[in-house]
């Protein structure tokens, strides 16, 4: 099956700075790459996703980039705010199998 | 508003007991999933269902079973609970399977002593 690795496991930034989380996947046939945000004690929620026929997608302060050749995709958060503090999970889907990364705990310091 | 709910939210049980976690969704989604969340492992798929009477094994299905008798419910059963099954369990549903947004329940924290 698909294998997804996510880095870093923890990330601390100053409010207003940018944050970047990277994921790599193993199977070049994977075609759907969502990112989920999980606040402490809450359920995961989709924040952005990208499909394999697109290289980049933006939604206000967040963006995702996909490099199919290198088999990696990244989440970019600009102008970070304290409410961005959470655990972020990437995932990759191959056929009917979605695999999640281990998560990145982002802390935004005021 | 449509929602997905889990019960119980917290449960403590003993090794060897049977445990059932309930999941109920009002999205009218055909696709439902059970995941477990453990530190350092992210979310791992236990079982999933693409419709009534359909069930499939996921990445970590040993020791778990599910049944799908209607669209709204996908209960997860631990036949004989083990300490390794101490975890937080999330149910999810989606309109497009795993190629679209998953809507997660609030989670059920299970402790097996």
């Amino acid at each position: 099956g698909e294998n997804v690795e996510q880095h870093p496991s923890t990330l601390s930034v100053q409010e207003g700075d940018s944050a970047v989380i990277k994921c790599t996947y193993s199977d070049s046939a994977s075609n759907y790459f969502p990112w989920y945000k999980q606040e402490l004690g809450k359920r995961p929620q989709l924040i952005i996703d990208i499909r394999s026929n697109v290289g980049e997608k933006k939604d206000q302060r967040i963006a995702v980039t996909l490099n199919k050749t290198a088999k990696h995709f990244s989440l970019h958060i600009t102008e970070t705010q304290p409410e961005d503090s959470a655990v972020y999970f990437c995932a990759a889907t191959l056929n009917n199998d979605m695999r999640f990364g281990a998560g990145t705990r982002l802390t935004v310091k005021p | 508003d449509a929602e997905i709910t889990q019960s119980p939210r917290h449960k403590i049980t003993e090794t060897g007991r049977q445990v059932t976690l309930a999941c109920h969704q009002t999205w009218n989604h055909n696709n439902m999933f059970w995941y477990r969340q453990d530190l350092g492992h992210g979310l791992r798929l236990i079982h999933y269902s693409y419709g009534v009477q359909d069930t499939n094994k996921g990445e970590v299905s040993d020791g778990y079973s599910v049944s799908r008798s209607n669209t709204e419910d996908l209960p997860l059963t631990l036949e004989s609970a083990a300490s390794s099954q101490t975890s937080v369990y999330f149910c999810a549903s989606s309109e497009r399977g795993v190629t679209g947004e998953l809507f997660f329940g609030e989670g059920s924290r299970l402790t097996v002593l």
Side-chain angles (χ1 to χ4, degrees):
Chain A
E2 177 63 275
N3 183 44
V4 178
E5 295 193 359
Q6 183 171 347
H7 299 281
S9 57
T10 60
L11 178 60
S12 181
V13 299
Q14 209 65 38
E15 182 177 359
D17 288 349
S18 295
V20 180
I21 302 170
K22 298 181 179 180
C23 288
T24 60
Y25 58 100
S26 59
D27 198 311
S28 58
S30 291
N31 56 8
Y32 175 64
F33 307 90
W35 286 89
Y36 285 82
K37 175 183 180 183
Q38 186 178 26
E39 297 178 0
L40 188 63
K42 301 288 183 64
R43 71 190 80 189
Q45 291 187 298
L46 181 73
I47 55 171
I48 196 167
D49 57 8
I50 192 168
R51 301 189 187 274
S52 57
N53 59 346
V54 176
E56 183 176 4
K57 185 176 179 181
K58 288 184 178 180
D59 183 3
Q60 300 182 337
R61 294 186 298 106
I62 61 173
V64 57
T65 58
L66 172 65
N67 183 326
K68 288 189 293 183
T69 303
K71 292 187 286 187
H72 69 71
F73 57 111
S74 300
L75 178 71
H76 304 254
I77 306 175
T78 59
E79 301 173 18
T80 54
Q81 302 168 2
E83 51 265 38
D84 294 329
S85 294
V87 178
Y88 292 81
F89 293 98
C90 64
T93 296
L94 173 63
N95 299 322
N96 290 322
D97 187 9
M98 177 185 285
R99 297 294 174 102
F100 285 84
T104 296
R105 181 174 299 279
L106 172 65
T107 302
V108 180
K109 299 177 182 178
Chain B
D1 288 343
E3 60 181 5
I4 178 166
T5 56
Q6 295 181 227
S7 63
R9 297 291 312 280
H10 302 272
K11 185 170 182 66
I12 300 174
T13 191
E14 294 178 344
T15 300
R17 290 191 180 270
Q18 183 180 82
V19 176
T20 296
L21 305 179
C23 175
H24 179 81
Q25 54 100 1
T26 59
W27 291 96
N28 199 34
H29 288 158
N30 284 324
N31 310 295
M32 295 186 72
F33 310 84
W34 273 104
Y35 289 89
R36 61 178 289 174
Q37 184 175 34
D38 304 288
L39 194 63
H41 290 279
L43 293 152
R44 291 182 292 175
L45 182 64
I46 305 170
H47 281 287
Y48 60 100
S49 169
Y50 286 155
V52 176
Q53 302 302 330
D54 175 72
T55 60
N56 305 279
K57 294 181 178 181
E59 182 186 357
V60 290
S61 61
D62 287 350
Y64 304 94
S65 63
V66 294
S67 60
R68 188 86 180 273
S69 59
N70 57 53
T71 300
E72 295 80 18
D73 299 290
L74 187 70
L76 177 71
T77 297
L78 287 68
E79 303 294 344
S80 178
S83 58
S84 60
Q85 294 177 308
T86 293
S87 186
V88 179
Y89 292 86
F90 284 96
C91 179
S93 72
S94 76
E95 188 175 14
R96 295 183 60 173
V98 290
T99 59
E101 182 172 5
L102 298 179
F103 295 88
F104 285 89
E106 318 100 307
S108 295
R109 181 176 295 277
L110 176 67
T111 302
V112 183
L113 301 177

